[in-house]
Amino acid sequence: MRILITAGPTREPIDPVRYLSNRSSGKMGYALAKQAIALGHEVTLISGPVSIEPPEGIEIIRVETADKMFDAVKAKINDGDMAIFCAAVSDYRVADIADEKIKKDSNTLTLTLIKNPDILGSARKDFGFSGTLVGFAAETENIDTNAREKLERKDCDFIVANDVSRSDIGFDRDANEVVIYSKDGSATRLELASKDEISRQIIERIS
Ligand code: PMT
């Protein structure tokens, strides 16, 4: 199977030296890529800026912003049979990126943010992807309700939900605990384990 995976954060520039981003380390997405290769699949990894070495044997496309990730996914998604969206895409970007470093001579600074494209939400209706579509849901509350709502709204086959309010799993941790929600209404919990082990189980169950 050919699998496209998105991983890591995106960075949205404010000026030449500053950006908006989030705490994603890329560990979960890179673990998915590593396990997919180990299970005999072909992998294209579209990665935001992280400090992890990619596993050998994959195609890697590095991007910085949500817009660039959108373009890379659009160009590649229909080459694959499955797409797994693990990236923590910045939901907003700065409306007017300053050409020069912004001076700190006032006590407050107001930035206008505009919404970034929903890459996962574009997979079916804009990119015409008909393979197996897997999203992630990073939640801090009402996990079950929010994950099921994302499954429906983004037209996914599966949503992998994790509780990012916990300090032992999720962002920048080596372990995770997830629930896989399926379009058929079922929910399967994968108990606390390393991101490698959780990834192996996700790929095995979904493929
Ligand atoms: O990278 P790590 O430090 O290992 O952390 C792993 C993780 C916590 C980032 C990962 O397990 C995870 O939860 N990834 C999804 C993060 C996220 O942005 O979730 P969300 O609930 O905001 O988004 C829902 C889905 O839509 C995700 O599949 C996301 O990739 C996708 N999305 C969101 C916004 C957007 N503009 N485009 C998207 O494609």
Side-chain angles (χ1 to χ4, degrees), residues 6-9 22-30 50 52 66 69 84-92 115-122 134-139 150 153-154 156 159-162 164 169-176 178 195:
T6 71
N22 59 64
R23 292 172 42 221
S24 172
S25 63
K27 286 179 182 176
M28 188 73 227
Y30 278 58
V50 300
I52 312 177
M69 187 172 280
I84 308 178
F85 286 72
C86 186
V89 182
S90 299
D91 291 312
Y92 292 88
K115 199 135 195 214
N116 270 329
D118 181 352
I119 309 171
L120 174 60
S122 304
V134 185
F136 266 69
E139 304 295 342
K150 276 178 190 164
R153 177 164 48 88
K154 302 196 183 210
C156 294
I159 281 279
V160 180
N162 44 193
V164 293
I169 61 169
F171 284 106
D172 203 14
R173 292 288 176 260
D174 293 327
N176 214 349
V178 304
K195 284 184 174 170

Side-chain angles (χ1 to χ4, degrees), residues 31-32 35 39 195-205:
L32 284 162
Q35 295 304 316
L39 290 165
K195 284 184 174 170
D196 275 339
E197 174 57 22
I198 293 285
S199 297
R200 189 185 61 75
Q201 292 187 41
I202 291 172
I203 305 275
E204 275 186 350
R205 280 170 187 269

Side-chain angles (χ1 to χ4, degrees), residues 31-44:
L32 284 162
K34 184 173 147 199
Q35 295 304 316
I37 286 285
L39 290 165
H41 302 292
E42 286 177 50
V43 174
T44 296

